[in-house]
């Protein structure tokens, strides 16, 4: 879809405004169908709430999040489909099932196999028709049994247990996806010397893939040097391969050339956080900061697609701002790219074997 932004007009803007109003983000005094400052502020509020870049532009990812956020549990039947159902109603279902002791996996708003298994187990336990569909009777039982003070979701408890007791002694056989952001068709930000983001992320990820493979891991790349899959396709690669962990490598940008430093993100919402994702993000970020000698911009929860749509713990590592001359000079240096790849490899070895 074409981006919808400040000064856009037409029925597509009315759709955005209607959905924003439905989730409590009223687009102010802007005329219907006119994307003015008030609508932009509402879009930024949505993006901040869901861990997206708060640029006030409704691109494909923001639109998907906006549509998903508009569903409430009970608005529609929920069941396993392809493509999988996504929405705030699915996230509410996952949270309720997990708090009742039925592990629905990541509370990510995606109705996948783990959510279906948890739903079937719940229906069996309470004596409902076991059809894997959240209809009126299933919703009634979920509402009757749900309590806000129930324990944290089962998936969070499982991840805490994995952090305390890693099951691996070495990296051999580990299934890992490396995701170099963007691609030739979506080059991303461009460095002052003309180097596109996708070339830098490919260099780092492909070196790391080679090193991990040499250590005996099953390392995969989400794209090739000439392909540009979208976020859903990248997540599908990870899910189909049943990987244990995902590291996406991207680069940052800012309006001001003074903005600099490294950051990382992991899946997290107001009610759920990936414990494994946060631990890995913190560990990889610490190594990156030490290597580059750059400011630590910390790790943050986010819901970008590669984090939200993948079943495995995932992080997005952004080692710098290509819009900053000093960061760009370092990140376009092949020697620095190799050191960053080594950081990723060593960080993954430490993390998966419990040495982190």
């Amino acid at each position: 879809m074409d981006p919808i932004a400040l000064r856009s007009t037409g029925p597509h803007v009315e759709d955005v405004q209607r959905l924003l109003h439905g989730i409590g983000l009223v687009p102010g005094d802007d005329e219907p169908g006119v994307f003015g400052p008030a609508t932009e502020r509402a879009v930024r509020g949505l993006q901040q709430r869901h861990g997206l870049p708060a640029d006030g532009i409704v691109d494909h990812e923001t639109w998907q999040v906006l549509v998903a956020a508009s569903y409430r549990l009970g608005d529609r039947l929920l069941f396993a489909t392809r493509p999988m159902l996504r929405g705030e109603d699915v996230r509410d279902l996952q949270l309720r099932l997990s708090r009742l002791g039925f592990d629905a996996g990541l509370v990510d708003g995606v109705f996948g196999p783990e959510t279906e298994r948890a739903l079937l187990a719940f229906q069996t336990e309470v004596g409902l028709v076991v059809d894997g569909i959240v209809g009126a009777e299933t919703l009634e039982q979920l509402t009757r049994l749900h309590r806000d003070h129930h324990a944290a979701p089962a998936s969070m408890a499982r991840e805490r247990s994995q952090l305390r007791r890693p099951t691996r002694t070495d990296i051999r056989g580990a299934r890992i996806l490396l995701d170099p952001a963007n691609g030739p068709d979506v080059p991303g930000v461009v460095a002052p010397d003309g180097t596109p983001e996708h070339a830098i992320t490919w260099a780092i990820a492909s070196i790391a893939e080679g090193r991990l493979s040499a250590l005996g891991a099953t390392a995969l790349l989400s794209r090739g040097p000439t392909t540009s899959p979208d976020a859903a396709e990248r997540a599908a690669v990870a899910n189909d391969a049943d990987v244990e962990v995902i590291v996406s490598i991207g680069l940052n940008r800012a309006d001001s050339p003074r903005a600099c430093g490294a950051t990382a993100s992991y899946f997290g919402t107001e009610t759920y956080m990936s414990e494994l994702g946060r631990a890995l993000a913190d560990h990889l970020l610490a190594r990156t900061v030490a290597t580059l000698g750059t400011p630590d911009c910390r790790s943050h929860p986010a819901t970008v697609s590669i984090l939200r749509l993948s079943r495995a713990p995932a992080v997005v590592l952004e080692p710098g701002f290509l819009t900053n001359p000093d960061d760009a000079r370092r990140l376009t240096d092949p020697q620095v790219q190799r050191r960053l790849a080594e950081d990723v490899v060593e960080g993954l070895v430490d993390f998966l074997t419990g040495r982190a």
Side-chain angles (χ1 to χ4, degrees):
M1 62 176 286
D2 294 330
I4 307 170
L6 195 62
R7 292 184 289 278
S8 294
T9 59
H12 50 293
V13 177
E14 287 191 65
D15 290 339
V16 169
Q17 292 170 325
R18 175 176 52 81
L19 291 173
L20 287 169
H21 192 280
I23 60 174
L25 291 168
V26 182
D29 299 326
D30 288 348
E31 293 290 328
V34 177
F35 198 118
T39 302
E40 185 183 49
R41 284 194 297 272
V43 171
R44 288 181 188 273
L46 169 81
Q47 292 168 326
Q48 289 170 343
R49 179 185 296 180
H50 290 273
L52 300 174
D55 55 11
I57 299 171
V58 181
D59 56 10
H60 180 69
E61 185 150 39
T62 298
W63 173 254
Q64 285 188 318
V65 168
L66 178 57
V67 171
S70 68
Y71 288 112
R72 294 291 178 269
L73 191 59
D75 286 353
R76 56 179 176 168
L77 293 177
L78 296 179
F79 53 96
T81 65
R82 292 194 67 86
M84 291 180 281
L85 293 176
R86 302 170 186 171
E88 192 69 15
D89 52 347
V90 178
R91 192 169 73 87
D92 191 2
L93 169 67
Q94 293 168 326
L95 192 60
R96 289 172 185 241
L97 287 170
S98 292
R99 284 175 169 166
L100 290 168
F102 301 92
D103 188 357
L106 288 177
V107 184
D108 56 3
V110 181
F111 197 115
E114 289 178 297
T115 303
E116 183 183 30
R117 284 194 293 271
L119 175 60
L120 292 170
F122 170 76
Q123 291 176 324
T124 301
E125 183 72 19
V126 299
L128 294 168
V129 175
V130 184
D131 56 7
I133 300 173
V134 182
E137 291 186 1
T138 297
L139 181 59
E140 181 183 353
Q141 290 295 325
L142 283 168
T143 302
R144 184 177 67 82
L145 296 172
H146 177 69
R147 296 292 185 274
D148 285 339
H149 62 266
H150 277 139
S155 56
M156 289 181 68
R158 184 184 67 238
E159 288 195 353
R160 291 193 191 111
S161 176
Q162 286 179 254
L163 282 171
R164 289 193 299 268
R165 294 186 296 274
T167 57
R168 290 192 168 278
T169 57
D170 61 45
I171 198 72
R172 286 176 293 180
R175 301 180 307 281
I176 300 165
L177 181 80
L178 297 165
D179 172 46
N182 299 305
D185 296 335
V186 188
V189 64
V190 178
D193 70 353
T195 304
E197 177 183 359
H198 77 85
I200 298 172
T201 60
W202 169 257
I204 296 170
S206 59
I207 294 169
E209 183 269 340
R211 301 283 173 85
L212 286 167
S213 297
L215 292 173
T218 302
L220 304 172
L221 289 161
S222 65
R223 70 170 176 91
T226 61
T227 59
S228 307
D230 63 26
E233 292 170 327
R234 296 164 190 261
V237 171
N239 294 337
D240 290 345
D242 194 24
V243 300
E244 298 170 47
V245 67
I246 300 165
V247 177
S248 181
I249 300 166
L251 298 173
N252 230 322
R253 72 178 76 194
D255 293 335
S256 169
R258 298 177 62 186
C260 62
T263 187
S265 54
Y266 52 91
F267 181 76
T269 68
E270 294 176 349
T271 56
Y272 177 85
M273 179 188 71
S274 170
E275 301 271 358
L276 287 171
R278 180 178 181 179
L280 178 57
D282 288 343
H283 186 59
L284 293 181
L285 181 59
R287 284 183 166 274
T288 299
V289 169
T291 290
L292 297 179
T294 193
D296 184 345
C297 297
R298 306 299 176 89
S299 61
H300 308 277
T303 61
V304 295
S305 293
I306 191 65
L307 304 178
R308 187 177 73 254
L309 302 181
S310 53
R311 293 196 296 267
V315 303
V316 177
L317 178 66
E318 295 176 313
F321 286 73
L322 268 192
T323 47
N324 176 272
D326 292 332
D327 278 4
R329 176 178 48 79
R330 284 188 287 263
L331 292 167
T332 53
D333 183 341
Q335 294 289 343
V336 173
Q337 293 168 3
R338 278 191 286 274
R339 291 206 303 273
L340 288 172
E342 290 166 1
D343 283 342
V344 170
V345 171
E346 292 171 8
L348 283 168
V349 171
D350 288 349
F351 179 76
L352 290 172
T353 58
R355 294 199 295 265

